[in-house]
Amino acid sequence: MSAAESEPGATGPASYPRRGRVPSPVSSSLQVSWWVMSAPAIIRAEGLTRAFGEVRAIDGLDLEVQAGTVFGFLGPNGAGKTTTIRLLLGLLEPTSGRADVLGFDTRARGGAIREQSGALLEHHGLYERLSAEENLDFYARVWRMDRAARAARIRALLEPLGLWDRRREPVSRWSRGMKQKLAVARALLHKPALLFLDEPTAGLDPVAAATLRDDLGTLVRREGVTVFLTTHNLVEAERLCERVAVVKQGRLLAVGHPDELKARSATRAEITGRRFDDAMLSMLRNQEGVLRADLHNGRIVLELAESAETAPLVALLVQLGGLVEEVRKDKASLEDVFLTLMEEEP
Amino acid sequence: MIGDVLTVAWKEWRELLQVGGTVRGGRLSLAILVAVFGVFLPLQSGAEWVQSPATVFYWGWVPLMLVGSAVADSFAGERERHTLETLLASRLPDSAILLGKVAAAISYGWGLVLVMLALSLITVNVAARTGPWLLFPWRFAVGAPLLALLGAGLAATAGVLVSLRAPTVRQAAQTLNVGVLLLVFIPVLGMQALPDAWQVQAGAWALSVGADGLLWASALLLALLDMALLAAGFAQFRRSRLVLD
């Protein structure tokens, strides 16, 4: 038993279910939503604030992350994502407010939190002079794994990532994508209950990012770990996360399942054709259910209320002399939601 | 706790041996240092190298040169290469990180001095060729390793303290080099700056306590400095500050 578990008030990781016990996250968003809401909170922040001089990097953050989920923390550069991870790991003290992670107060029990967490931070943090195997071996020693366990675990993590054959090369010779994969393996080495990932695909080319994202999804499901993922890559968030929070300048703007957030946003329709003009746009804007109508590169882009139908609008355009070639109607993407939130908030 | 200290020291050692990108490059640098202090300088000094009481004090100074470059890298290097925050985000306690880095630097400097001592003894004997084997007097055999250990401790604790605050390895190394120079020149110049009467008194005191007394006084002074600098290192070690640096 670790010191962290033996102290009064320490919940410890055993109290938190792993992902293996929950339904597959992609099987049904309804099932997942039910599970997510009923699972115990592994992270709970109340009015969490961190200021650097006059600037509030995090401003009154209230947040709950349920055990067994992949939680996305979305925001533009400078939104306070990295600061939030540092606060949750107990590396920084909050200016005001509080946060409990794994049942431990971040202010008083940072060591206990770090004992049971894994982290891939802003930089991969690998020792470039050392080989991949030595890097993992060092951190396995840090987590007090014996020699046999170290060897078995290193192999179990490197083989599925396709890194095993090059494990003895200095990390400095590896590509950035390989280094990021290795850093993910390092973060999972000690089977943590909670994994912090700070923009894991930032700076990777699209192919490397997609590969890492796939590997990450596979590993996270296999390991059954709760993940707190910061990113400004919305495709990544949509693909990996069961719940997301959107932050801007340290303030929380929205939180929920990606589908819930998308449902709050307008439906989008795109009409391609010719002879569209401003008079037609004005007419469209006056129709019921049309929230917004704009002309972009000869295409009419509409934002519609959920109840609005597209067919009468197309008929109106034709009646006014427009030549309609194609009509596309999409639900809002997470990117649309994100951009809308960024525009709405000052 | 001891296991954690050894784990950090193990990693530091692996990195020290890999300086230059390869194990071979790291070992070559070590071989050059050992050759200079274990072969070249003893060859020039001859039997004096083994028999003169003055050379005992020399071994307290050698680690300052050896350890400085290695220890400058301890925190500043991790900061420069963006590995420090990941290390701080691990389960390792503050004391293990700090002591592990100090232990690695001390063992590096002290280990090299022991190798140099043995090699210098062989060199002097091989060069002399005639007569009985020259051996270190007991005062030398005990005093040189002791002063080397405490000297390595001084360099390691001072180096870690400087490296904790320095933004780059280069800046940490420059600060340490200036420190070593001051450590050498201040006593020499300071003695010369003293009034003649005081110089005579100091000389008389040195003669009265003898070589043994000077050895133990030096050891005590170094030990006190080591402990003070280590305490300062603990006071300076703040995760929140290191993360934000």
Side-chain angles (χ1 to χ4, degrees):
Chain A
M1 179 183 281
S2 71
E5 287 168 281
S6 61
E7 291 188 23
T11 314
S15 308
Y16 295 99
R18 286 184 169 256
R19 291 171 55 83
R21 300 183 204 165
V22 308
S24 163
V26 290
S27 62
S28 154
S29 63
L30 194 66
Q31 269 185 312
V32 171
S33 290
W34 172 83
W35 158 259
V36 164
M37 296 316 292
S38 61
I42 202 165
I43 297 173
R44 179 176 285 123
E46 291 168 8
L48 193 66
T49 301
R50 172 69 200 206
F52 297 102
E54 296 293 306
V55 179
R56 288 187 168 209
I58 289 295
D59 191 1
L61 181 71
D62 292 315
L63 192 69
E64 278 199 6
V65 176
Q66 273 67 34
T69 59
V70 178
F71 187 89
F73 200 60
L74 316 183
N77 291 336
K81 303 188 295 292
T82 299
T83 302
T84 303
I85 287 191
R86 287 171 173 171
L87 286 167
L88 295 176
L89 276 167
L91 293 173
L92 285 181
E93 286 211 352
T95 308
S96 62
R98 59 168 292 148
D100 288 332
V101 177
L102 292 153
F104 301 112
D105 181 1
T106 57
R107 216 185 271 264
R109 304 297 309 282
I113 293 165
R114 292 189 291 272
E115 174 110 31
Q116 296 159 38
S117 305
L120 164 54
L121 302 172
E122 195 176 3
H123 300 283
H124 55 63
L126 297 166
Y127 296 101
E128 303 240 354
R129 292 176 194 162
L130 305 186
S131 69
E133 194 172 38
E134 286 171 328
N135 267 280
L136 294 190
D137 196 46
F138 167 58
Y139 274 98
R141 286 167 189 254
V142 165
W143 263 278
R144 297 173 179 155
M145 294 164 72
D146 62 40
R147 183 193 287 261
R150 290 202 302 266
R153 185 69 177 150
I154 289 170
R155 184 164 196 156
L157 285 166
L158 290 187
E159 274 188 341
L161 292 171
L163 302 175
W164 175 250
D165 291 339
R166 298 183 63 180
R167 68 191 180 282
R168 300 221 162 102
E169 289 177 16
V171 171
S172 55
R173 291 189 201 159
W174 283 18
S175 69
R176 195 176 157 85
M178 290 168 74
K179 288 176 189 174
Q180 285 297 97
K181 282 189 189 182
L182 182 62
V184 170
R186 182 200 57 214
L188 288 167
L189 202 57
H190 54 294
K191 300 187 177 175
L194 176 61
L195 179 64
F196 291 97
L197 298 173
D198 192 1
E199 305 202 14
T201 58
L204 298 184
D205 65 64
V207 176
T211 309
L212 177 62
R213 204 175 293 131
D214 290 344
D215 287 337
L216 199 56
T218 309
L219 272 180
V220 161
R221 271 193 294 279
R222 193 188 80 182
E223 299 286 324
V225 61
T226 304
V227 179
F228 186 90
L229 169 80
T230 73
T231 183
H232 51 222
N233 184 324
L234 301 161
V235 176
E236 185 170 287
E238 202 158 3
R239 197 167 293 177
L240 293 172
C241 302
E242 285 113 306
R243 260 168 84 77
V244 294
V246 181
V247 284
K248 184 184 179 186
Q249 292 174 344
R251 284 186 297 118
L252 184 69
L253 303 184
V255 62
H257 188 279
D259 286 344
E260 290 169 12
L261 294 186
K262 285 190 280 184
R264 287 185 211 167
S265 291
T267 302
R268 192 180 148 100
E270 217 176 81
I271 303 172
T272 311
R274 284 178 289 147
R275 294 190 194 164
F276 299 147
D277 56 32
D278 289 343
M280 292 176 186
L281 284 178
S282 300
M283 290 290 281
L284 285 172
R285 284 176 189 139
N286 290 331
Q287 301 303 304
E288 196 180 331
V290 176
L291 304 174
R292 190 168 168 173
D294 294 305
L295 195 59
H296 288 305
N297 300 325
R299 288 172 304 175
I300 292 177
V301 180
L302 301 171
E303 277 184 19
L304 306 171
E306 203 171 358
S307 57
E309 289 186 20
T310 324
L313 302 174
V314 174
L316 178 67
L317 273 177
V318 172
Q319 196 184 338
L320 292 170
L323 293 175
V324 175
E325 289 172 357
E326 187 185 355
V327 179
R328 255 178 53 193
K329 193 174 173 184
D330 293 315
K331 278 257 179 196
S333 66
L334 194 56
E335 187 172 355
D336 297 325
V337 176
F338 182 81
L339 292 174
T340 307
L341 284 166
M342 291 301 124
E343 283 171 11
E344 280 174 0
E345 296 296 322
Chain B
M1 169 66 181
I2 290 173
D4 290 340
V5 172
L6 292 176
T7 296
V8 176
W10 175 86
K11 191 275 295 176
E12 293 291 308
W13 261 100
R14 297 296 311 178
E15 283 211 287
L16 277 172
L17 288 174
Q18 299 281 7
V19 171
T22 61
V23 171
R24 192 190 295 174
R27 284 179 186 162
L28 186 65
S29 313
L30 288 185
I32 291 170
L33 284 171
V34 171
V36 168
F37 290 101
V39 179
F40 180 70
L41 293 176
L43 268 181
Q44 285 194 322
S45 304
E48 278 286 296
W49 188 262
V50 174
Q51 290 166 339
S52 167
T55 52
V56 177
F57 297 97
Y58 167 81
W59 291 106
W61 176 76
V62 169
L64 296 179
M65 289 174 60
L66 295 173
V67 175
S69 59
V71 80
D73 196 70
S74 59
F75 284 98
E78 295 237 21
R79 185 181 295 118
E80 214 170 65
R81 295 188 290 274
H82 304 297
T83 54
L84 185 58
E85 191 174 2
T86 301
L87 187 68
L88 296 173
S90 75
R91 54 156 292 281
L92 288 171
D94 298 359
S95 51
I97 296 174
L98 194 73
L99 289 175
K101 286 179 180 289
V102 169
I106 289 176
S107 59
Y108 174 78
W110 197 48
L112 278 178
V113 166
L114 294 183
V115 171
M116 287 169 189
L117 273 170
L119 194 60
S120 65
L121 190 63
I122 294 167
T123 302
V124 168
N125 277 286
V126 169
R129 288 188 193 152
T130 53
W133 269 77
L134 295 166
L135 293 172
F136 291 126
W138 75 267
R139 181 190 299 123
F140 197 117
V142 174
L146 177 66
L147 288 184
L149 177 65
L150 294 169
L154 179 67
T157 50
V160 162
L161 193 60
V162 169
S163 190
L164 267 170
R165 304 301 304 272
T168 62
V169 178
R170 177 176 287 199
Q171 192 171 322
Q174 284 171 345
T175 308
L176 283 170
N177 287 339
V178 170
V180 169
L181 285 176
L182 290 177
L183 209 63
V184 173
F185 285 113
I186 283 178
V188 175
L189 298 176
M191 272 298 284
Q192 288 175 355
L194 289 176
D196 289 346
W198 289 21
Q199 285 187 37
V200 171
Q201 275 187 339
W205 176 79
L207 284 174
S208 68
V209 296
D212 288 352
L214 278 177
L215 174 67
W216 295 121
S218 303
L220 182 65
L221 180 66
L222 281 173
L224 289 173
L225 278 172
D226 288 359
M227 284 190 283
L229 288 169
L230 188 62
F234 275 112
Q236 285 287 322
F237 192 103
R238 292 279 174 276
R239 275 182 203 246
S240 55
R241 191 160 63 195
L242 289 170
V243 162
L244 293 175
D245 284 346

